[in-house]
Amino acid sequence: MKLQEQRSQFEIPSEVSYLNIASLSPSFKTVEKAGLDAVKEKSQPFLIPSLAYFDPVKELKQLFANLIQAPDLNRIAPIPSVSYGMATVANNIKLKKGDEILLIEEQFPSNYYVWEKLAQKFEAQITIIPKPKQNKDFGKLWNEAILNAISDKTALIALGNIHWVHGTIFDLKAIRKKTKAHKALLIVDGSQSVGALPFSVLEIDPDALICAGYKWLFGPYGCAYAYFGSYFDEGQPIEENWSNRLDSENLSGLTNYQSKYKPLANRYAVGEHASFIYVKMQIAALKQLIAWSPKSIQEYCASITLDAVKELQEAGFYIAESEQRAQHLFGVELPERLNQTALKERLAEENIYVSFRGNSLRISCHLFNTKEDLKKLSTCLIAALD
């Protein structure tokens, strides 16, 4: 399916070029309506049935399972943040002294601090796989370095599907194959990819996949998703809440305390995960994303960025080649001679929103963007060269 521009589904002023969804997504109009409708429902709580604590959550988990091709919704847990999901993962991992945790250079903090703490707890070792210094075949060389680093002493590797600044695609299929050969865990942060880039649990088979919900999944801030593989089937949650226990749907019998959890990942769902407002917003968002499909979103983003990328590369900006990076998110390395102060002033004047990360500018786009948005940006960047 070839997608067309979808700006009419968003409340973004025509003069604004929003190229920063990797920080925070705008809401679809349908997501906004779902949230407002849910707020109104809370005004009359006596009309909210007890099944509202359960049935919408099942629908939400099934939608997310469909998006990532997970065969069982019971492997999905609604959580409030990536850090919560990573803490749950780390809480159920025991290491031996000298075991190795592999991370990549410049990993997002929520996928670093938790492993630093785990390594300290068990006297394990963290090994950082550096990004290549040379630009040519940047992504290929980084993937080779990751694969070469996995060995018998590797207990786990944690990384994103793509790099959160550069958009470098990591070959999770190859990485998973090697982790299995060395009996190591694969923990994936899908926050900057799932929803915009195809991801299949059936293909990758990660031990855990943790995703923020407020970026490419278009949910509200404060919602996230976790997929847990079989390694975590009998694990311990970091909190105990009533709705995660077996037979919790029977509200009149809640004080008949139940020692058993609901099956699989249900034990890891955060308390109050049935939030009537958040759940309805997330359901509306996932339905639309599935209708569009991540594959078609990638193709659309590639089509609107192609000309601007070529123009910037010819002007001396480094952008990784298309086949080694994502199309919805990528970095533009800024030359030393570029006047960043002048650039930021020009961007503000033109109502262009992007993220500066180190010496790179991160572009993240979606179906509300057009070629004209990218042209405006490239013009500003080239004008800032001294």
Side-chain angles (χ1 to χ4, degrees):
M1 176 179 67
K2 187 173 182 180
L3 292 173
Q4 303 298 317
E5 177 199 344
Q6 302 290 323
R7 197 180 186 96
S8 63
Q9 298 205 39
F10 298 84
E11 294 285 356
I12 300 176
S14 58
E15 68 273 14
V16 169
S17 295
Y18 189 66
L19 297 164
N20 200 22
I21 185 175
S23 291
L24 182 66
S25 66
S27 290
F28 311 143
K29 291 178 181 177
T30 52
V31 172
E32 179 183 289
K33 183 179 185 302
L36 292 172
D37 289 347
V39 168
K40 291 178 181 178
E41 284 184 357
K42 182 64 167 59
S43 299
Q44 296 184 319
F46 44 85
L47 296 179
I48 299 176
S50 59
L51 286 177
Y53 288 98
F54 303 100
D55 289 351
V57 174
K58 289 179 182 177
E59 181 182 5
L60 175 62
K61 293 198 295 183
Q62 186 62 67
L63 286 167
F64 185 70
N66 292 346
L67 182 67
I68 64 170
Q69 295 187 350
D72 189 348
L73 66 87
N74 288 305
R75 292 208 171 276
I76 309 300
I79 56 174
S81 64
V82 169
S83 59
Y84 186 99
M86 293 299 179
T88 300
V89 170
N91 188 54
N92 288 284
I93 293 176
K94 292 183 179 180
L95 302 177
K96 301 188 298 295
K97 183 177 180 179
D99 277 351
E100 181 182 61
I101 298 171
L102 290 181
L103 306 175
I104 59 170
E105 187 177 2
E106 295 184 349
Q107 191 142 291
F108 194 78
S110 293
N111 202 12
Y112 172 80
Y113 293 128
V114 65
W115 308 121
E116 180 183 56
K117 186 174 181 180
L118 188 69
Q120 291 170 352
K121 178 180 178 181
F122 290 103
E123 296 184 73
Q125 171 189 340
I126 287 182
T127 298
I128 304 293
I129 305 162
K131 62 181 182 180
K133 289 185 169 59
Q134 58 270 56
N135 285 335
K136 184 174 174 56
D137 291 330
F138 177 87
K140 179 183 177 183
L141 292 171
W142 208 352
N143 273 286
E144 288 175 356
I146 292 169
L147 289 172
N148 290 335
I150 300 169
S151 68
D152 283 343
K153 68 177 183 177
T154 305
L156 72 90
I157 178 169
L159 76 171
N161 195 168
I162 67 172
H163 192 275
W164 68 289
V165 175
H166 318 294
T168 306
I169 295 175
F170 297 114
D171 188 353
L172 294 184
K173 288 178 72 173
I175 292 168
R176 185 49 170 159
K177 182 178 180 181
K178 193 158 186 188
T179 59
K180 283 187 174 181
H182 292 278
K183 299 180 180 179
L185 298 173
L186 173 62
I187 313 300
V188 179
D189 179 357
S191 299
Q192 295 292 10
S193 55
V194 172
L197 185 73
F199 185 94
S200 172
V201 163
L202 293 175
E203 287 185 6
I204 307 301
D205 190 25
D207 292 291
L209 168 71
I210 314 295
C211 298
Y214 64 93
K215 299 176 185 286
W216 304 97
L217 296 172
F218 289 90
Y221 194 70
C223 69
Y225 304 89
Y227 163 87
F228 292 98
S230 59
Y231 179 89
F232 297 95
D233 284 354
E234 301 300 327
Q236 293 298 312
I238 57 177
E239 62 169 282
E240 304 293 342
N241 74 76
W242 66 274
S243 60
N244 291 355
R245 298 285 176 155
L246 210 59
D247 302 324
S248 56
E249 290 84 353
N250 179 16
L251 300 186
S252 63
L254 289 181
T255 54
N256 297 324
Y257 301 126
Q258 172 60 258
S259 62
K260 294 182 179 179
Y261 295 105
K262 290 177 179 175
L264 307 180
N266 288 291
R267 67 187 63 206
Y268 300 122
V270 68
E272 300 184 16
H273 58 267
S275 166
F276 309 115
I277 299 169
Y278 279 12
V279 168
K280 290 191 175 181
M281 294 175 75
Q282 291 175 94
I283 286 173
L286 291 183
K287 283 182 175 178
Q288 183 60 77
L289 283 175
I290 290 169
W292 281 336
S293 88
K295 181 177 182 292
S296 295
I297 292 168
Q298 282 294 292
E299 291 170 352
Y300 179 85
C301 291
S303 72
I304 65 170
T305 58
L306 180 64
D307 293 343
V309 166
K310 183 178 180 182
E311 184 179 21
L312 288 169
Q313 287 174 328
E314 290 174 350
F317 293 84
Y318 174 71
I319 302 172
E321 293 304 315
S322 177
E323 65 273 9
Q324 296 188 38
R325 60 168 173 82
Q327 306 303 312
H328 67 290
L329 182 159
F330 56 92
V332 179
E333 191 172 308
L334 303 176
E336 290 184 7
R337 62 192 179 97
L338 182 137
N339 186 329
Q340 286 203 32
T341 300
L343 173 60
K344 290 177 181 178
E345 290 175 354
R346 181 74 180 271
L347 292 174
E349 290 171 2
E350 296 290 338
N351 291 304
I352 299 172
Y353 296 84
V354 291
S355 286
F356 286 83
R357 295 290 184 266
N359 69 332
S360 293
L361 182 147
R362 183 182 66 188
I363 298 172
S364 50
C365 57
H366 212 273
L367 302 181
F368 48 79
N369 294 120
T370 63
K371 284 186 177 183
E372 287 69 32
D373 290 325
L374 277 300
K375 178 62 179 175
K376 280 173 60 179
L377 175 62
S378 63
T379 299
C380 288
L381 281 165
I382 293 169
L385 292 172
D386 292 334

